[in-house]
Amino acid sequence: MSTQRFHAEYAWLPGDESPTPDVLIEIADGRFSGVTAGVQVPPGVRRLPGVTLPGLANAHSHAFHRALRGHTQTDGGTFWSWRDRMYEVAGRLDPDTYLALARATYAEMALAGITCVGEFHYLHHQPDGTPYADPNVMGAALVEAAAQAGVRLTLLDTLYLTSTVDGEPLHGVQRRFGDRDVDAWSDRHDKFPAAAHLRLGAALHSVRAVPLGALSTFAYRNGGVPLHFHLSEQRAENDACLATHGCTPVQLLADMGVLGPTATAVHATHLTEDGVALLGETGTGACLCPTTERDLADGIGPARALADADSPLSLGSDSHAVIDLFEEARAVEHDERLRTERRGHFTPAALTHAATVAGHAALGWSDAGTIAVGSRADLVTVRLDSVRTAAVPPAGVFFAATAADVTDVLVDGRAVVRDGRHVSIDVAAELHRSIGRVWR
């Protein structure tokens, strides 16, 4: 059994309100085997200057959206007009271009300290809706992309059957998102091959995309696995659900048995007080994606109210307007300040918890997200001597650092980023090449 040892200048340990100085970290077979505070640097042990965190978890990703960064900023409109551009990209991808784009995107995540990603995957079939010879080839491309980038993946294979809340059929590029019905989805999903770095979860795209009759069946079949869904991202979705079903989306999902401790609502931007309470009462998590929600002019989600209702908060980069969980975390606090005109809604420790423990739990990796004996050996070291972090106290990293301040990343004890560079991928070059192929 091989053992690695690292000495962290500061390490954020479970239950601490701020990082602990001088921590000796030992790793054996991909797990933490020893964590000892107050130790001087032993001879021959690699020093990790700065703050060392558990691996960060990106609980909501659409990898192919990375190709849109910077391509929509001169456009006006709303989420719905932005969606047309997104569909344009969705219609251009095949298994090879999807693998290349996702590999580069996941490698960018690794550079940002993300060790696990939840991919909300609905690009299942060919652009006209015809299944590929291997009906899971697009999902398999994502699994391979994560392996090559060196991160773990929870594939949230998504049910997408209708175009609107009142049941309009899929049209245009949406046809590649859809399986015939829940049985066809289950048949495809259940054939997905296992992999060591993979958790296979499930997702309901939204109440727009799954008719009433399918919701409870889908929830029943996927009990106990991570089950994610877009919820109340847009006011128009709420209005359509009220008009069609006579209730809010969250009430509809509650009535159909979708909510629960393994479920996560993504966005949850436009909830009523009753909706917030329902998520909390059922133990349903909420994944907030503030940089996407502001990029798309969605609105500000009720983060503090959700936390007070005991809905676990996690974070995602969603459309990848930026890939930076430090920015996502502090935006949760800063958005609450804008809403309330008051400061101090979330402590640094609470934001760290959302980016680590809660995110991994939402993705089905309950043995990750802490620097503790027995946990998966994920480490992210953030420098304290950049122009952004110089003279910042260690507990302030989530309010000062950016992804550019990450120097070292280990995933399951394997070095993925060293001295600010991915160990095997020229990330900028691969992003340039893969995104160029999509637009050409």
Side-chain angles (χ1 to χ4, degrees):
M1 181 174 67
S2 61
T3 300
Q4 303 176 74
R5 298 201 297 169
F6 299 89
H7 187 273
E9 181 182 7
Y10 294 95
W12 212 312
L13 303 181
D16 285 356
E17 288 300 311
S18 62
T20 298
D22 294 323
V23 178
L24 179 65
I25 300 170
E26 298 172 286
I27 297 171
D29 294 334
R31 303 267 176 172
F32 293 118
S33 57
V35 179
T36 309
V39 177
Q40 296 304 305
V41 187
V45 172
R46 187 178 176 203
R47 173 80 158 160
L48 297 174
V51 178
T52 296
L53 305 165
L56 308 181
N58 185 349
H60 189 67
S61 162
H62 300 291
F64 75 95
H65 289 193
R66 176 62 180 83
L68 286 164
R69 185 187 296 177
H71 286 265
T72 65
Q73 297 308 321
T74 59
D75 300 339
T78 64
F79 165 86
W80 306 100
S81 56
W82 170 88
R83 190 178 70 163
D84 293 337
R85 297 298 304 278
M86 182 267 285
Y87 282 172
E88 182 182 355
V89 172
R92 293 169 176 258
L93 292 163
D94 60 33
D96 290 338
T97 54
Y98 204 19
L99 170 58
L101 177 58
R103 167 185 153 106
T105 302
Y106 294 155
E108 182 182 356
M109 291 185 196
L111 287 178
I114 292 163
T115 59
C116 182
V117 56
E119 183 65 33
F120 202 98
H121 168 56
Y122 51 81
L123 294 185
H124 302 308
H125 308 301
Q126 298 181 61
D128 66 355
T130 304
Y132 289 99
D134 173 358
N136 283 310
V137 67
M138 293 291 272
L142 294 166
V143 175
E144 179 61 21
Q148 292 183 21
V151 300
R152 291 191 302 276
L153 177 74
T154 296
L155 188 68
L156 298 161
D157 194 283
T158 303
L159 182 67
Y160 200 130
L161 300 177
T162 58
S163 179
T164 61
V165 175
D166 58 2
E168 287 292 318
L170 302 178
H171 58 85
V173 73
Q174 289 179 331
R175 291 177 296 177
R176 80 179 309 181
F177 308 161
D179 294 292
R180 183 184 66 254
D181 51 28
V182 177
D183 289 339
W185 179 91
S186 294
D187 183 61
R188 182 179 55 73
H189 177 270
D190 293 347
K191 293 176 180 175
F192 206 95
H197 69 295
L198 173 69
R199 292 279 189 274
L200 187 59
L204 298 158
H205 181 272
S206 60
V207 297
R208 301 193 310 274
V210 181
L212 184 63
L215 288 171
S216 59
T217 300
F218 189 82
Y220 175 76
R221 290 183 183 179
N222 293 286
V225 304
L227 176 57
H228 290 216
F229 45 88
H230 294 130
L231 179 68
S232 294
E233 183 178 3
Q234 296 292 319
R235 297 183 194 276
E237 177 185 296
N238 290 354
D239 295 342
C241 193
L242 284 164
T244 301
H245 299 298
C247 63
T248 62
V250 69
Q251 184 64 62
L252 181 68
L253 296 178
D255 292 345
M256 295 296 104
V258 174
L259 305 186
T262 61
T264 298
V266 181
H267 301 303
T269 308
H270 299 289
L271 296 182
T272 63
E273 289 185 8
D274 289 345
V276 170
L278 268 175
L279 292 188
E281 290 166 6
T282 56
T284 303
C287 177
L288 307 180
C289 308
T291 65
T292 290
E293 288 146 11
R294 70 191 184 200
D295 183 66
L296 300 183
D298 288 343
I300 298 173
R304 187 64 255 171
L306 285 164
D308 289 342
D310 295 326
S311 176
L313 300 186
S314 56
L315 302 171
S317 63
D318 191 2
S319 69
H320 314 311
V322 298
I323 294 177
D324 188 337
L325 284 201
F326 300 99
E327 176 61 23
E328 303 291 351
R330 62 176 161 264
V332 172
E333 166 66 23
H334 290 165
D335 284 355
E336 283 292 319
R337 294 180 186 185
L338 289 174
R339 184 213 311 281
T340 63
E341 301 180 36
R342 290 188 296 105
R343 304 175 79 244
H345 300 272
F346 292 93
T347 65
L351 297 178
T352 303
H353 183 87
T356 57
V357 177
H360 286 286
L363 297 177
W365 300 90
S366 58
D367 58 349
T370 61
I371 303 175
V373 172
S375 291
R376 289 178 175 271
D378 297 350
L379 293 176
V380 177
T381 300
V382 183
R383 60 189 299 182
L384 287 176
D385 60 354
S386 75
V387 294
R388 292 163 295 276
T389 60
V392 171
V397 290
F398 273 99
F399 285 98
T402 72
D405 296 311
V406 172
T407 61
D408 293 87
V409 177
L410 270 67
V411 181
D412 290 329
R414 293 175 289 102
V416 176
V417 174
R418 186 179 293 120
D419 297 328
R421 292 182 177 274
H422 198 283
V423 298
S424 61
I425 297 173
D426 183 339
V427 180
E430 292 215 8
L431 285 166
H432 183 81
R433 185 162 48 247
S434 63
I435 293 171
R437 287 178 65 191
V438 171
W439 285 111
R440 284 195 299 271

